[in-house]
Amino acid sequence: MLPLSAMKRLVLLLLALSLSIPAWARPNNRNEAIRVLEEFFGGRMGVNQMVNRLSFLGEAGYGADELIAAYKKADPKLQGLILEGLVGLGMFDADTDKIFLRALDSGDVAQMITACRGLAKAKSPTAPPRLIELLAARQPAVRREAAKALGELGAAKAGAPLIAAAKKEEDLEVRLAMVVAVGRAGDKKQVPALEAMLAGDSETTRLAAAQALCLLGAKSGVQYANKLLASDQKIERLQGVLLFEGATAKVAGPPLKVALADPDHRVRSTAARVLAQGGDKSKVEWLVLESAKAVGEDRLPYEDQLEKLRLTDEARQEILKKAGLK
């Protein structure tokens, strides 16, 4: 019988070897992945279940390759599901880029919307020119998703086209998406055009322009937000917090400091979540502890924001344990 120390070394060696074996070489994984895809292509398994199963099996890469190969031969409905699967699997490369870009020319609204989202999630370097063209698409939903994708991609060169498209856009929801996308795109040359929108007749457009300015770190946007944050109306204070949605904690931190002490739980919790998503991870801990201290329905706003952050139970318990609350 091996000594205990030798057995420990053997176990560790076997564990290391098992982790070094690629997913395709592990027993049954590939066969199970094939079965999952057969179920999906046969309409007996939904997109989310397929994505979850392949990811669990460590076969996301294989699954993505098979989906790409199947896309070209599939009918439009299945093509749409395949695109959703590719977005869900998150295995992005030049081949997925080609499929998403091809889908933009499909004429199928659902496919075009999913392709916009996929290109954004993939951080595609080749997508901006094609997405800029789609700002003039016939379908409002496509124009909206193209604008959002340009913002998520941080495509600074899209700033001017987004402003130009927003000025002509008649659909309010689409116009708001375009204006906010200017801020996410990061083109500070568009600050004057956004500031001009602050004097417009539409309150929602003014708020969108203010958010874009806050995202760009422009003083005019922060000043607009500060006025809302100082309001005696909680709905306006909440609007002020949401103007920093998507901003870095460095930009949002100073103005939202006052919101963290707001008497309204929804305002406070939303400010913490915005800061957490902006990079201030200490606000995750803050939310957990505030939720633990809150009583009855006062806990709900904190739990809502924690759900948006997708905090695991293990992470929550660790925070509570560290604070001596477990």
Side-chain angles (χ1 to χ4, degrees):
M1 183 173 179
L2 288 172
L4 182 59
S5 60
M7 287 194 67
K8 285 183 177 179
R9 288 196 297 271
L10 180 59
V11 170
L12 290 173
L13 177 61
L14 290 173
L15 177 60
L17 287 172
S18 68
L19 292 175
S20 68
I21 298 173
W24 55 263
R26 296 173 196 161
N28 300 322
N29 280 20
R30 179 53 54 86
N31 288 339
E32 177 62 13
I34 291 172
R35 187 192 69 77
V36 168
L37 287 169
E38 287 177 349
E39 293 283 304
F40 169 69
F41 289 132
R44 298 181 298 278
M45 182 178 290
V47 175
N48 291 336
Q49 187 180 0
M50 179 268 292
V51 168
N52 291 338
R53 286 295 300 155
L54 290 178
S55 299
F56 175 78
L57 292 167
E59 294 284 1
Y62 167 74
D65 289 342
E66 292 300 302
L67 290 175
I68 289 171
Y71 177 84
K72 301 171 185 177
K73 305 172 186 176
D75 60 61
K77 182 179 179 181
L78 182 55
Q79 284 182 333
L81 295 175
I82 288 172
L83 291 174
E84 290 179 30
L86 288 172
V87 174
L89 289 171
M91 305 298 291
F92 303 121
D93 56 21
D95 289 332
T96 51
D97 258 23
K98 289 178 183 177
I99 291 294
F100 289 139
L101 289 169
R102 176 175 173 173
L104 293 181
D105 295 320
S106 67
D108 182 291
V109 174
Q111 285 195 46
M112 294 169 78
I113 288 174
T114 304
C116 286
R117 293 171 179 168
L119 290 165
K121 191 174 178 182
K123 300 300 179 186
S124 169
T126 60
R130 188 68 185 91
L131 292 171
I132 288 172
E133 292 177 7
L134 289 179
L135 296 177
R138 179 173 57 84
Q139 308 91 338
V142 174
R143 298 197 299 273
R144 181 192 66 226
E145 294 305 319
K148 288 182 177 180
L150 286 166
E152 290 183 42
L153 286 169
K157 291 183 179 180
L162 281 164
I163 283 287
K167 289 179 178 178
K168 296 185 292 185
E169 183 59 56
E170 296 181 357
D171 186 291
L172 177 60
E173 184 182 358
V174 177
R175 181 166 72 249
L176 298 180
M178 290 174 171
V179 173
V180 173
V182 175
R184 295 190 187 280
D187 183 7
K188 293 188 176 183
K189 294 179 182 178
Q190 305 310 317
V191 166
L194 291 167
E195 289 177 337
M197 292 182 181
L198 294 178
D201 295 331
S202 168
E203 180 184 5
T204 51
T205 300
R206 292 198 301 271
L207 287 170
Q211 182 179 354
L213 288 164
C214 288
L215 289 170
L216 292 171
K219 185 182 295 184
S220 54
V222 175
Q223 290 173 341
Y224 192 99
N226 283 338
K227 290 179 182 178
L228 291 172
L229 291 168
S231 172
D232 59 358
Q233 300 294 316
K234 64 181 179 181
I235 186 63
E236 291 187 348
R237 299 198 301 276
L238 183 61
Q239 287 176 333
V241 170
L242 291 174
L243 291 184
F244 293 96
E245 188 91 63
T248 64
K250 182 179 180 180
V251 169
L256 291 189
K257 184 177 181 180
V258 65
L260 291 172
D262 196 276
D264 183 78
H265 293 286
R266 188 179 178 198
V267 173
R268 298 175 69 208
S269 60
T270 303
R273 191 262 304 162
V274 168
L275 288 169
Q277 289 181 324
D280 184 354
K281 300 307 179 186
S282 70
K283 295 304 179 290
V284 177
E285 182 174 332
W286 186 94
L287 279 166
V288 171
L289 297 180
E290 288 297 307
S291 177
K293 291 186 291 184
V295 179
E297 292 187 358
D298 288 346
R299 291 190 64 191
L300 296 179
Y302 300 102
E303 290 301 314
D304 286 343
Q305 301 306 320
L306 285 167
E307 186 176 345
K308 291 179 181 179
L309 293 174
R310 297 182 179 179
L311 185 70
T312 65
D313 288 337
E314 292 78 8
R316 181 196 292 264
Q317 294 306 314
E318 185 61 32
I319 291 170
L320 292 172
K321 182 179 179 182
K322 181 181 176 182
L325 297 176
K326 184 181 177 183

